[in-house]
Structures are given as structure tokens and as C-alpha cells.
Amino acid sequence: MNQLLAILSFIIVIAVTIPYMIDIVQGRAKPARAARFMFFAMLLLALAQQHSLGGGYVLAVTIGEFISSLLLLGLAVKYGVGGLSKSDLICYMLLIIDVVVWLTTKNALLALHLTVLADMISFWPTVSKTWREPSSETSLFFWGGSIAPLLSIIAGGSLDYSAIIFPIYLSLVNLIEVTLINRK
């Protein structure tokens, strides 16, 4: 059952990425370039950090998010909007600090917290853009991003903090985006 839920969380992430990719190519969605680059880098870090913490089935959603992020980064380069801002530069610095802290302290949990913080900052360009232009994003993509992490937690079978912190974070930020897209 747990393996099935992990696979389902992975499939949901990939499945909701496809219509989002179509919306990007057709001009209905406009991803923030800087945010997409940072998401890719941070998901790579989070994947490595979760793996070193023994993530188990919870890794399924992070793997799915990483693949999705790679695909979306490619499209954002061509079809996205925006560039570098102060918050982007701060986030890049946090990424560098994250890697240095992780490599020097060998403390994956501390590094994972820094990754969540950096991801929150890198999410700002998307939130800001969606606040101004709610129709520039695809709600289904973010709904999937809020449900899949919860399934991966159930699949993991553990409520250990180090295993659930990143999936809970992913679920919450995706719910924020859904709320902004669908607000009246």
C-alpha cells in the first residue's frame, strides 16, 4: 500500500505538469524564470538531503518535483518572464550557504531547513506575479503539488520530522498559490 501511494504521488506531480507545460507553450501560463531555476537547484539539494536522512517513500514526491522542475525550467527559459532581482540574489546566496553548511557540518537536517527557507524566498517571484496576474498560472498544477506531498507522507509511514518537513512545506506553498490563482 505504501509503495502504491508513493507511486501515486509521483504520478500526480508528473501528470499535473503536462497541462502546465502545454499552458506555458500556448502562452496561457508565464513562469517566473528565476524562480524556476532556483526551484530546480533547491529540489536537487532537497533530494540529496532527504536521501541522506533516509527519506524512503517520501522521496517519490521530491523525485517527481525534481523531474517536473527540470522540464519547467527548460520551458521557462524560452517562454518565462522576469529576471534577477534582490530576492533572487538573496536566494542564490542562501543556496550557496546551504551547500556550504551541509558539506562542512554534515548536518543534513540543518541544510534541509536552509533549503526550505531558500525555496520560500525563491517562491516569491511566482507569488508576486500571481498576485498581479492570477490568470498567468495554472491551478491544476498547484493542486497536484499540494496533494502529492501529503500522499508521500502517508506512503512514508512515518511522522518523523525530518521525513515530513519538506513534503509539508511543498503542500503549503502550493496551497498558497492555488488560493492566489482562484481568489475573487
Side-chain angles (χ1 to χ4, degrees):
M1 176 71 163
N2 291 351
Q3 186 178 16
L4 200 57
L5 288 173
I7 292 168
L8 181 60
S9 71
F10 175 85
I11 290 170
I12 288 171
V13 169
I14 299 301
V16 298
T17 300
I18 295 167
Y20 188 47
M21 291 171 65
I22 292 167
D23 283 353
I24 291 169
V25 171
Q26 294 180 347
R28 292 189 298 264
K30 295 176 179 25
R33 284 185 192 106
R36 284 287 146 206
F37 174 75
M38 290 184 276
F39 289 151
F40 171 75
M42 284 181 279
L43 280 162
L44 180 61
L45 284 173
L47 187 58
Q49 292 158 351
Q50 283 182 295
H51 178 65
S52 73
L53 290 166
Y57 287 130
V58 176
L59 286 173
V61 75
T62 308
I63 292 167
E65 290 283 352
F66 175 76
I67 293 168
S68 169
S69 186
L70 177 61
L71 296 169
L72 294 173
L73 174 60
L75 290 176
V77 168
K78 183 171 183 178
Y79 300 102
V81 296
L84 296 176
S85 68
K86 276 187 192 177
S87 65
D88 297 335
L89 296 175
I90 289 169
C91 190
Y92 289 130
M93 286 181 9
L94 280 172
L95 278 172
I96 292 167
I97 292 169
D98 185 3
V99 172
V100 169
V101 167
W102 185 30
L103 294 176
T104 58
T105 68
K106 306 291 190 231
N107 186 334
L109 185 57
L110 175 60
L112 186 59
H113 282 99
L114 290 173
T115 298
V116 169
L117 177 62
D119 195 273
M120 288 169 66
I121 292 169
S122 70
F123 197 62
W124 181 250
T126 301
V127 168
S128 177
K129 179 185 60 68
T130 307
W131 178 260
R132 290 186 314 273
E133 299 175 54
S135 63
S136 70
E137 290 293 353
T138 303
S139 185
L140 176 64
F141 175 72
F142 294 98
W143 269 117
S146 63
I147 294 167
L150 300 177
L151 291 176
S152 76
I153 291 172
I154 296 167
S158 168
L159 294 180
D160 182 57
Y161 177 80
S162 65
I164 66 170
I165 184 66
F166 195 70
I168 287 175
Y169 161 73
L170 285 176
S171 186
L172 290 175
V173 296
N174 279 289
L175 280 175
I176 289 169
E177 190 67 8
V178 166
T179 302
L180 290 175
I181 293 167
N182 295 307
R183 75 183 193 281
K184 304 262 185 241

